[in-house]
Amino acid sequence: VSVWSQDARMEIRHINLEGALEILRRATISPKPNVAIPETEPVQKRVHKSTKLWTFYADLEESLGTLDTTRAVYDKMIDLKIVTPQIILNYASYLEENRHFEEAFKAYEKGVTLFPFPHSLDVWVVY
């Protein structure tokens, strides 16, 4: 995870923003679709499920990408079940900033269903 993050940060420092996005796109590709990778496998086979890497990717997409590419990143995070309540709040806030209120409500609803009560409280309060 650290190698991919540092590589993307280096591209950003050299003002190659598209290169940084491409690095993160490659880093977050699932090795094989719909195959569960056990926790006992080496981290190299599980890096595509790193919350830290995906959050960095989502931040870059918000800054540099389009609405569709950013939504695709957040939706993939939800599908992989690697989101946190804060990520759900960030996604919904991003959608609201872009005046997609119905989509934002759907993001809140997904967040409420993904987390049990004490963890979903922040999502409920904002929703």
Side-chain angles (χ1 to χ4, degrees):
V1 174
S2 183
V3 172
W4 289 103
S5 296
Q6 290 302 320
D7 197 14
R9 283 187 176 91
M10 183 196 66
E11 293 294 336
I12 292 170
R13 280 192 300 272
H14 291 281
I15 311 173
N16 183 5
L17 304 176
E18 193 57 43
L21 274 174
E22 185 57 35
I23 287 167
L24 293 172
R25 283 184 192 118
R26 282 193 339 231
T28 54
I29 293 173
S30 299
K32 293 180 183 173
N34 301 326
V35 174
I37 298 174
E39 292 293 318
T40 57
E41 287 292 323
V43 72
Q44 291 86 349
K45 292 187 178 181
R46 294 181 282 129
V47 72
H48 71 282
K49 291 187 89 174
S50 165
T51 304
K52 180 180 176 183
L53 204 57
W54 276 97
T55 304
F56 185 24
Y57 185 24
D59 288 344
L60 267 183
E61 280 292 350
E62 280 187 36
S63 300
L64 308 171
T66 64
L67 177 66
D68 291 335
T69 59
T70 304
R71 285 175 54 197
V73 169
Y74 278 114
D75 289 338
K76 184 67 175 176
M77 290 172 75
I78 292 169
D79 290 343
L80 289 172
K81 293 185 172 59
I82 56 171
V83 292
T84 63
Q86 184 60 52
I87 292 171
I88 294 293
L89 293 173
N90 291 349
Y91 183 29
S93 174
Y94 175 76
L95 291 169
E96 288 173 2
E97 288 171 10
N98 287 283
R99 309 193 58 73
H100 287 83
F101 301 108
E102 289 295 323
E103 300 286 330
F105 286 127
K106 288 178 186 176
Y108 287 127
E109 289 167 3
K110 287 179 185 178
V112 167
T113 59
L114 281 173
F115 304 106
F117 168 67
H119 305 292
S120 66
L121 183 60
D122 292 335
V123 178
W124 270 113
V125 169
V126 178
Y127 181 43

